[in-house]
Amino acid sequence: MIRSMTGFGRGEASDDHYKIVIEMKSVNHRYLDINIRMPHKFSFYENKVRNMIKNYALRGKVDVYVSFEETGESDLAISYNSKIAGAYIEGVRQLALDHSMKFKTDAYQIASLPEVFTLKDSAIDEEKIVPLLDEALQAAGEQFVSSRSTEGKGLDEDIRKKLKEIGDVTASIEKRYPEILKEHEERIRKKAQELLEDRQIDEHVLASEMVIYADKLCVDEEMVRLKTHITHMSETLDEQENIGRKLDFLTQELNREANTILSKSTDVTIANYGIELKTLIEKIREQIQNVE
């Protein structure tokens, strides 16, 4: 079963002290591109998140968000720097003197200036926080993989359906080919009879003309390759992982054969079949852009 590169997962874990929420989402990308946003205090955990993603995804742009909340009593502390506050006040005083302005200070305004007050965050207890991070990460990862697999199932069904339609169009082209030759032969006979009147048509000349015409229109090799690529693509869909690039290559090969059929076609019906082939192949190509 194929997997989509688009997915979402969310995991949450908490105890009496902390609450952890981890979310991950992914979109299409040629390679695996992992971006992690988390509080600086959790930087020690980044490698574990990155390694887990590598186990769950082979391609895609994956964004991971880790949020943290302290639910118990906080040990937050505010630190006041009197030297910095004094420097601000003295600076304002000098400004007033230099420009003949009225000197006035306000404690609240001074307090709002940078580094007058700083917030000292409490240190986290890794023994308590790591199990919560693990729990939230596992839950998010499982949901993430599940969503990619669910969407991949829809992609699989749609691609197989279009492959069958391509096979049906290919069969129609093969059926139409002998009809084109027969119609061409009838046109030649009719025109020759008009020109020769009562004289006998040279069957050898007619046969030579038909061989040349048939060779010019022959798409037997293209038909064989089309059917081979269809079979190969169906087999690739049954593989377990890392099939996106293979499918992309096979789609290019399908499109190459469709282009050749169109270039050889002098028949409106075959030309329409060729356009239908290209339309179906393009739809498959669009779907494959999202396959891992």
Side-chain angles (χ1 to χ4, degrees):
M1 178 63 68
I2 68 176
R3 291 194 305 192
S4 167
M5 280 193 283
T6 303
F8 177 80
R10 185 180 189 276
E12 182 178 318
S14 61
D15 62 10
D16 294 338
H17 304 279
Y18 308 112
K19 177 181 177 181
I20 301 292
V21 176
I22 297 180
E23 293 183 344
M24 52 186 70
K25 62 179 182 179
S26 63
V27 294
N28 302 356
H29 197 276
R30 189 175 181 182
Y31 305 106
L32 180 60
D33 179 21
I34 303 172
N35 300 285
I36 303 171
R37 296 182 182 178
M38 59 171 60
H40 180 70
K41 64 177 70 180
F42 293 155
S43 58
F44 70 91
Y45 199 72
E46 181 174 338
N47 282 339
K48 189 165 189 177
V49 176
R50 198 171 292 277
N51 290 333
M52 186 276 287
I53 296 295
K54 289 179 181 178
N55 290 331
Y56 287 162
L58 297 171
R59 289 203 302 164
K61 183 179 185 298
V62 184
D63 291 312
V64 182
Y65 304 91
V66 180
S67 62
F68 163 76
E69 179 184 341
E70 290 190 76
T71 56
E73 291 186 5
S74 175
D75 295 328
L76 293 177
I78 295 176
S79 175
Y80 164 59
N81 193 316
S82 63
K83 289 185 178 180
I84 291 178
Y88 278 127
I89 294 170
E90 186 58 35
V92 173
R93 187 194 308 277
Q94 190 60 49
L95 175 67
L97 288 174
D98 291 346
H99 297 278
S100 301
M101 299 169 64
K102 184 177 180 180
F103 173 69
K104 182 179 179 181
T105 59
D106 181 276
Y108 184 78
Q109 289 179 334
I110 297 299
S112 65
L113 293 172
E115 298 186 26
V116 173
F117 286 101
T118 55
L119 185 65
K120 292 185 177 180
D121 201 352
S122 59
I124 61 170
D125 186 339
E126 288 192 20
E127 289 188 2
K128 292 179 179 178
I129 206 71
V130 168
L132 295 178
L133 286 167
D134 289 344
E135 182 182 342
L137 182 62
Q138 182 176 352
E142 290 174 355
Q143 191 180 104
F144 175 72
V145 171
S146 178
S147 69
R148 284 162 65 102
S149 297
T150 298
E151 189 164 333
K153 182 179 179 181
L155 291 173
D156 182 274
E157 292 172 353
D158 188 66
I159 292 171
R160 290 183 191 274
K161 178 183 176 182
K162 288 179 173 57
L163 282 176
K164 182 181 182 305
E165 292 174 5
I166 290 174
D168 292 341
V169 175
T170 302
S172 297
I173 292 174
E174 289 180 311
K175 182 179 178 181
R176 175 61 182 159
Y177 182 66
E179 297 173 353
I180 297 172
L181 297 180
K182 184 176 180 181
E183 291 169 5
H184 184 68
E185 181 180 356
E186 290 174 354
R187 284 195 300 270
I188 292 177
R189 284 186 179 278
K190 184 178 180 181
K191 191 166 185 178
Q193 286 172 349
E194 291 174 355
L195 294 173
L196 296 173
E197 296 179 348
D198 295 332
R199 284 176 291 175
Q200 188 75 18
I201 297 174
D202 189 330
E203 294 293 337
H204 293 292
V205 174
L206 178 61
S208 297
E209 164 66 22
M210 291 306 300
V211 168
I212 294 170
Y213 183 73
D215 185 62
K216 182 179 179 181
L217 294 184
C218 183
V219 290
D220 288 351
E221 291 184 12
E222 288 76 12
M223 292 293 98
V224 170
R225 286 195 290 265
L226 267 175
K227 287 186 282 189
T228 299
H229 295 326
I230 292 170
T231 300
H232 194 184
M233 187 171 281
S234 297
E235 292 172 350
T236 301
L237 288 170
D238 292 329
E239 295 179 10
Q240 295 300 312
E241 58 182 27
N242 200 22
I243 64 174
R245 291 188 179 92
K246 294 181 184 178
L247 293 174
D248 187 55
F249 170 75
L250 289 170
T251 303
Q252 293 177 36
E253 294 301 304
L254 285 172
N255 195 55
R256 192 194 311 276
E257 305 308 330
N259 284 333
T260 304
I261 291 168
L262 268 173
S263 68
K264 288 186 175 183
S265 175
T266 58
D267 178 70
V268 174
T269 302
I270 295 292
N272 288 336
Y273 284 142
I275 292 170
E276 188 175 352
L277 277 178
K278 286 185 65 66
T279 300
L280 288 168
I281 293 167
E282 176 60 22
K283 289 180 179 178
I284 287 178
R285 189 195 68 80
E286 291 174 357
Q287 295 286 48
I288 285 173
Q289 298 309 303
N290 198 33
V291 174
E292 185 177 58

